[in-house]
Amino acid sequence: MANPNMKKKESRISVKKKRWYSVLAPKILNNVVVGETPAADPSMLVGRTFAVNLSSVMRNMRKQNVEVRFKIKEVKGNECITDFVSYEILPAHVKRLVKRAKCRVDDSFVVETKDKLKVRVKPLILARDTTQKSVAGALRKTAKEMIIERIGKTDYSEFLNKVLVGEVQRDLKTRLRKIYPLSVAEIRAMKRL
């Protein structure tokens, strides 16, 4: 039986109500609303990253195999302003592409843009037939030279816009096709360091 002289303990836990904040894509993608996120304090949102399918941002179903990441840099009212962090083709799509190809050429290197930002770029080149190592090396070297030349002349946002539209990939494929017939020449991943 409970003691009638005992006092009840009062709870001292205070619960702060969370609010929903809209997450906007960077200016490159026309500040489209990417999603919403809850937070009790707006300062807790700064630094949070989001992964989004590019087709939902650009409204283009051809981009459904690409994932982009954004990082919240500031909060204004109920809106979160973001920066672009990375661009990556989904691994499942890469597997699907590689299945049909006979030779895969990968590379990874760090490049500095015109506005002094460092970017890690990972091109993916798939040849239709089996190739010699010298041909694969020539493809890798030419792709690297072209990307370094292209990034060195442009600032980060301009280069990013060209990658999102597919202009860099198209130019890469036309230049490498002169060395050996290709099925795919893509930027598999790109990340700002």
Side-chain angles (χ1 to χ4, degrees):
M1 194 167 180
N3 188 353
N5 296 333
M6 260 177 74
K7 292 183 179 179
K8 289 185 179 178
K9 287 187 178 181
E10 292 184 24
S11 176
R12 291 185 183 214
I13 301 172
S14 63
V15 178
K16 194 170 182 185
K17 189 166 176 146
K18 291 185 178 182
R19 290 178 43 201
W20 286 89
Y21 295 89
S22 298
V23 179
L24 302 178
K27 192 175 181 181
I28 298 168
L29 297 169
N30 300 325
N31 293 332
V32 178
V33 176
V34 176
E36 292 183 330
T37 183
D41 186 28
S43 63
M44 294 171 63
L45 292 172
V46 177
R48 196 179 284 186
T49 58
F50 289 89
V52 181
N53 194 308
L54 189 59
S55 68
S56 63
V57 178
M58 293 183 76
R59 308 282 190 258
N60 183 354
M61 287 309 292
R62 288 184 176 192
K63 305 287 183 183
Q64 69 183 350
N65 300 312
V66 178
E67 181 182 82
V68 288
R69 287 191 178 275
F70 306 119
K71 188 174 192 176
I72 297 176
K73 66 176 181 179
E74 66 176 298
V75 180
K76 289 184 180 176
N78 282 352
E79 295 179 339
C80 301
I81 312 300
T82 58
D83 264 346
F84 193 88
V85 175
S86 69
Y87 164 97
E88 183 179 5
I89 295 177
L90 296 173
H93 185 65
V94 172
K95 284 180 185 177
R96 212 171 308 130
L97 291 172
V98 170
K99 216 178 258 188
R100 288 183 256 150
K102 301 288 184 189
C103 176
R104 176 180 177 166
V105 179
D106 277 317
D107 201 1
S108 176
F109 49 90
V110 177
V111 187
E112 193 172 280
T113 62
K114 187 178 178 182
D115 52 348
K116 304 294 182 207
L117 287 173
K118 293 193 182 236
V119 180
R120 176 165 296 283
V121 180
K122 298 180 180 182
L124 171 69
I125 303 158
L126 301 174
R128 291 182 184 160
D129 299 317
T130 53
T131 62
Q132 295 176 341
K133 286 187 179 183
S134 61
V135 174
L139 288 170
R140 185 179 293 114
K141 183 182 174 191
T142 308
K144 185 175 182 176
E145 287 172 354
M146 186 199 149
I147 292 170
I148 288 173
E149 175 190 326
R150 187 59 98 59
I151 289 181
K153 291 180 180 177
T154 60
D155 59 337
Y156 178 70
S157 60
E158 187 180 338
F159 181 74
L160 178 62
N161 193 24
K162 289 179 180 181
V163 169
L164 293 175
V165 172
E167 184 180 324
V168 174
Q169 294 90 318
R170 200 170 31 251
D171 293 347
L172 187 66
K173 190 171 183 178
T174 54
R175 187 184 240 179
L176 295 178
R177 201 183 297 153
K178 294 173 185 173
I179 298 173
Y180 199 82
L182 301 176
S183 58
V184 172
E186 285 282 336
I187 303 291
R188 182 173 58 85
M190 189 176 84
K191 184 175 184 178
R192 194 170 90 186
L193 302 175

